[in-house]
Amino acid sequence: MTKVYPAIIHEEEGYWVEFPDLSGCFTNGNTLEEAMEMAREALGLHLVDLVERGMELPAPSNIADISASDGHTTYVSTDMNAYRRDTHAVKKMLSIPAWLAKAAEENNISLSKVLQDALKEQLHLA
């Protein structure tokens, strides 16, 4: 699931990045490229942490409403799925009609993959 939040980039012996909508979410880098890469990671880890703690994600502010007198505003996007921590597989029992199971097997369709894809779509995580 891709999320986009506004960020402020500051240049000060390298670069540091803060996210005004996300208290405590900031990072830095020696170069602008490194700072942006770290910002994607910091954003992803912060958002996943909020979700895993059962908290609601704050709505991203409009970048035009952010004042950055000592920096530059930009958007940073991240794929939250890349930062989910508990990704080990768990067995779940399910029931489907025998004819459907047979058809899936004959067509080399992985029921686990189909179920994962369907759940991601239903939960708007794809």
Side-chain angles (χ1 to χ4, degrees):
M1 170 186 346
T2 300
K3 292 290 185 181
V4 179
Y5 278 83
I8 301 173
I9 301 173
H10 304 270
E11 188 173 357
E12 186 179 298
E13 296 182 30
Y15 297 87
W16 67 278
V17 182
E18 65 176 313
F19 293 89
D21 298 319
L22 304 166
S23 178
C25 185
F26 52 88
T27 189
N28 66 349
N30 293 322
T31 64
L32 182 57
E33 293 81 4
E34 184 180 88
M36 292 304 293
E37 184 176 326
M38 298 300 289
R40 266 189 300 282
E41 182 176 311
L43 177 60
L45 289 169
H46 190 87
L47 295 177
V48 165
D49 181 61
L50 292 176
V51 169
E52 289 178 352
R53 291 189 291 139
M55 300 174 75
E56 194 168 316
L57 297 181
S61 296
N62 183 324
I63 200 167
D65 297 334
I66 297 173
S67 174
S69 60
D70 66 337
H72 303 282
T73 55
T74 188
Y75 284 109
V76 175
S77 69
T78 192
D79 177 8
M80 287 178 56
N81 292 332
Y83 299 99
R84 294 192 186 276
R85 291 169 261 219
D86 190 4
T87 58
H88 75 280
V90 294
K91 277 192 169 269
K92 292 293 179 184
M93 193 176 238
L94 66 113
S95 299
I96 61 171
W99 67 267
L100 192 54
K102 183 179 179 189
E105 187 175 322
E106 289 171 351
N107 288 281
N108 296 318
I109 295 174
S110 164
L111 296 180
S112 291
K113 173 128 176 52
V114 170
L115 178 58
Q116 287 178 46
D117 291 346
L119 285 171
K120 287 177 185 175
E121 184 176 321
Q122 284 291 311
L123 296 168
H124 307 288
L125 299 174

